[in-house]
């Protein structure tokens, strides 16, 4: 499972490539689909994120 | 002291006959004052005046009392050894309370209060200490801006160094929970007291070893004394050594400790530190939606561009253009048809001419009247053939304009002149054209005709081919 940061980095790369426009239609569609999958994963991570607390012992 | 010597000043005054030495008097005064319990460990209130520090570290000042024009003065001293061990803050003009004992300096005949404690302790001493620390830490570069590190944008594990009791850890946890998911690792530590600085430093080291992405070091508001451990170089050095960025939030916004100055970023409160530590998931969701929009727009632009390109390419095939082309084709067709008709007409004329030529040749070579009918028939045949050819050709033109060449070949093949030119001849016998070997018998006289003449011959033998 990728971290949120990895997903966001990937997503920004996709946006940059699709906005650049120097790619074929097939590639654009593939990037679009890939982007939508990542966005769904990001939203899922955000919605399911929880705060966990661990307390270290004093020594 | 001898028996004759007065034991009290009163006795000395009354008797008057005994002469004391100066030192005897001063020593007597010292004994009286220093032996008086109520002059030992007393508290005195007064206004600080004429404060001086000697080169050896002793502090001298007067406490004065002004009361309706009259004034009293008490000399005070804080010995260097005491000054080092207590915290004090005395300023010229301050009304303060000091505690100590009356001491008599016998060689000078003076008494003074030897100060052991001051009411308002701490700040002066601390001020000096802070100044020294600040100078040393600054020189070591712990506060320099180049040391500051960028916070990670999406920390997964967050170390927190603070007390496990109290509001601070709750504030931090609550703020983080309200913003983003994370794993908080708390390294509990006392945040005030004599040994707090060492424990804070150790807690920081301990939590850094847990593989956290950043550390929040925090404490709630308190007095300058309470916050003092966070100025300690031990804490500052632990912050500087921390392998991941440190957010410091010690005390209220107005309180600035060296820990704050050494940290990569200073937060005004523990809650603020938590806000700085993690992004807000609502803002993140919005940002993700923006990215989605950009991807959709990007794809749409791409498709619109391609659609335009396709339209540009399709234009030559538009209906209007195609109709234009059909018209052009029709004109070409008409033109071709005209040219073919003319060609055929010329061809027929050529045929007629050839017939005329043949007729002339025939009549010129030999006056064979028997030929006349044959020629007439032949001419009729040729005319009919010409008409058939013309019809066929016209049909051909109508149906298959592009086959003119093959048509020409056919026409050529039916030209008898050409046939004769290429080696064929006509055989006559008794006025008839011989079309079969069976028409002949041995000894028959035949005439063989070519385009340019004839020859008479006698048949030597007849060899019909039964297979034909």
């Amino acid at each position: 499972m990728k971290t949120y940061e990895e997903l966001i980095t990937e997503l920004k790369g996709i946006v940059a490539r699709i906005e650049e426009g120097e790619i074929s239609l097939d590639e654009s569609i593939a990037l679009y689909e890939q982007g939508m999958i990542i966005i769904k994963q990001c939203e899922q991570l955000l919605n399911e994120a929880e705060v966990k607390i661990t307390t270290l012992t004093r020594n | 002291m001898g028996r004759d010597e007065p034991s009290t000043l009163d006795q000395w005054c009354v008797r008057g006959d005994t002469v004391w030495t100066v030192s005897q008097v001063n020593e007597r005064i010292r004994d009286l004052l220093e032996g008086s319990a109520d002059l030992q460990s007393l508290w005195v209130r007064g206004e600080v005046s004429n404060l001086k520090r000697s080169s050896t570290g002793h502090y001298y000042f007067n406490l004065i009392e002004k009361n309706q024009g009259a004034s009293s003065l008490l000399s005070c001293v804080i010995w260097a050894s005491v000054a080092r061990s207590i915290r004090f803050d005395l300023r010229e003009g301050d009304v303060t309370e000091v505690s100590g004992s009356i001491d008599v300096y016998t060689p000078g005949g003076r008494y003074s209060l030897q100060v052991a404690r001051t009411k308002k302790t701490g700040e002066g001493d601390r001020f000096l200490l802070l100044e020294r620390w600040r100078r040393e830490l600054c020189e070591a570069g712990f506060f320099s801006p180049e040391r500051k590190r960028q916070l990670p944008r999406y920390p997964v594990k967050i170390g927190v160094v603070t007390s496990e009791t109290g509001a601070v850890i709750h504030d931090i946890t609550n703020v983080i929970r309200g913003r983003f998911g994370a794993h908080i690792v708390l390294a509990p530590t006392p945040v005030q007291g004599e040994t707090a600085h060492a424990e804070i430093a150790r807690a920081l080291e301990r939590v850094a070893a847990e593989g956290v992405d950043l550390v929040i070091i925090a404490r709630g508001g308190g007095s300058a004394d309470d916050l003092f451990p966070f100025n300690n170089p031990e804490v500052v050095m632990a912050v500087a050594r921390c392998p991941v960025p440190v957010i410091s939030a010690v005390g209220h916004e107005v309180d600035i400790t060296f820990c704050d100055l050494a940290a990569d970023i200073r937060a005004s409160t523990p809650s603020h530190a938590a806000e700085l530590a993690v992004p807000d998931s609502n803002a993140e969701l919005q940002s993700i939606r923006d990215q989605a929009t950009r991807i959709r727009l990007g794809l749409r632009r791409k498709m619109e561009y391609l659609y335009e390109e396709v339209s540009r390419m399709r234009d030559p095939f538009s209906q209007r253009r195609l109709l234009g082309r059909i018209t052009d084709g029709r004109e070409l067709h008409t033109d071709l048809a005209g040219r073919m008709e003319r060609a055929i007409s010329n061809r027929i004329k050529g045929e007629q001419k050839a017939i005329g030529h043949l007729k002339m040749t025939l009549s010129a070579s030999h006056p064979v009247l028997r030929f006349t009918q044959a020629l007439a028939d032949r001419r009729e045949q040729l005319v009919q053939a010409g008409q058939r050819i013309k019809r066929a050709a016209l049909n051909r033109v109508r149906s298959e304009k592009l086959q003119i060449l093959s048509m020409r070949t056919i026409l050529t093949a039916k030209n008898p002149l050409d046939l004769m030119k290429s080696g064929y001849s006509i055989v006559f016998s008794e006025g008839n054209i011989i079309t079969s070997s069976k028409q002949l018998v041995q000894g028959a006289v035949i005439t063989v005709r070519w385009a340019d003449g004839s020859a008479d011959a006698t048949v030597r033998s007849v060899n019909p081919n039964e297979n034909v």
Side-chain angles (χ1 to χ4, degrees), chain B residues 357-358 361-362 365 371 416-417 419-428 446-457:
Chain B
H357 177 71
L358 184 60
T361 309
L362 288 172
S365 61
F371 269 59
L417 190 64
L419 281 173
M420 290 180 88
K421 271 181 186 165
S422 61
Y424 293 86
S425 54
I426 306 166
V427 176
F428 298 92
I446 57 170
T447 302
V448 184
R449 280 224 72 91
W450 291 274
D452 59 346
S454 64
D456 292 333

Side-chain angles (χ1 to χ4, degrees), chain B residues 270-378:
Chain B
S271 298
H272 181 217
E275 276 173 30
L276 291 173
V278 292
D280 178 26
S281 57
N282 287 329
E284 283 298 314
L285 278 172
Q286 186 54 50
S287 159
I288 286 166
R289 281 179 202 130
D290 290 348
Q291 309 281 333
T293 306
R294 283 168 69 177
I295 288 174
R296 280 193 200 98
L297 275 178
L299 184 62
R300 204 166 84 189
R301 264 200 298 276
K302 180 88 206 167
M303 293 181 84
E304 279 170 358
Y305 171 77
L306 290 174
Y307 184 78
E308 273 171 30
E309 204 170 63
V310 167
S311 300
R312 267 202 306 281
M313 289 193 296
R314 196 167 51 189
D315 190 50
F317 301 100
S318 70
Q319 201 179 18
R320 187 178 52 79
R321 284 193 179 240
L322 282 175
L323 280 173
R325 288 204 161 197
I326 289 166
T327 308
D328 290 349
R330 233 179 236 151
E331 277 163 14
L332 183 67
H333 175 255
T334 309
D335 182 42
L336 278 174
R339 276 162 66 189
M340 282 175 210
E341 276 185 48
R342 278 194 300 279
I344 288 160
S345 168
N346 287 341
R347 189 75 243 170
I348 290 163
K349 281 179 192 153
E351 294 294 327
Q352 284 167 345
K353 202 173 163 187
I355 291 160
H357 177 71
L358 184 60
K359 182 181 169 186
M360 272 170 65
T361 309
L362 288 172
S363 51
S365 61
H366 199 276
V368 187
L369 292 174
R370 285 168 298 191
F371 269 59
T372 312
Q373 185 57 46
L375 278 170
D377 293 348
R378 195 75 188 147

Side-chain angles (χ1 to χ4, degrees), chain B residues 380-426:
Chain B
E380 181 60 22
Q381 272 180 349
L382 284 168
V383 168
Q384 280 172 5
Q387 280 167 348
R388 280 204 305 275
I389 287 164
K390 191 176 177 181
R391 274 200 302 277
L394 283 172
N395 283 338
R396 202 80 188 178
V397 164
R398 280 188 204 99
S399 63
E400 193 61 64
K401 58 188 183 289
L402 289 176
Q403 286 194 357
I404 184 160
L405 283 176
S406 62
M407 214 153 52
R408 179 175 293 171
T409 309
I410 293 160
L411 285 169
T412 307
K414 296 209 172 200
N415 180 349
L417 190 64
D418 282 354
L419 281 173
M420 290 180 88
K421 271 181 186 165
S422 61
Y424 293 86
S425 54
I426 306 166

Side-chain angles (χ1 to χ4, degrees), chain B residues 83-152:
Chain B
R84 274 196 296 275
S85 65
I86 63 161
R87 293 169 179 170
F88 68 93
D89 180 35
L90 293 181
R91 281 166 219 224
E92 198 71 29
D94 276 357
V95 172
T96 188
E97 289 172 21
V98 299
S99 166
S101 303
I102 294 297
D103 175 78
V104 177
Y105 178 58
T106 47
R110 292 190 297 271
Y111 67 89
S112 63
L113 182 74
Q114 294 197 355
V115 177
R117 280 194 286 168
T118 66
K119 189 78 170 180
K120 203 177 162 191
T121 60
E123 290 192 5
D125 191 32
R126 192 163 61 228
F127 180 74
L128 293 172
L129 194 59
L130 281 178
E131 269 312 298
R132 200 179 78 222
W133 285 347
R134 186 198 297 276
R135 207 172 47 246
E136 287 169 1
L137 295 169
C138 218
E139 277 167 14
F142 289 125
F143 303 148
S144 68
E146 302 90 75
R147 289 187 60 90
K148 307 295 179 203
R149 291 165 290 192
Q150 193 86 31
L151 294 181

Side-chain angles (χ1 to χ4, degrees), chain A residues 4 19 23 52 54 56 58, chain B residues 164 183-184 186 284 302:
Chain A
Y4 183 79
E19 286 186 341
I23 47 169
K52 187 174 123 189
T54 310
L56 301 179
R58 297 197 200 202
Chain B
E164 74 261 62
H183 179 188
I184 297 171
L186 170 66
E284 283 298 314
K302 180 88 206 167

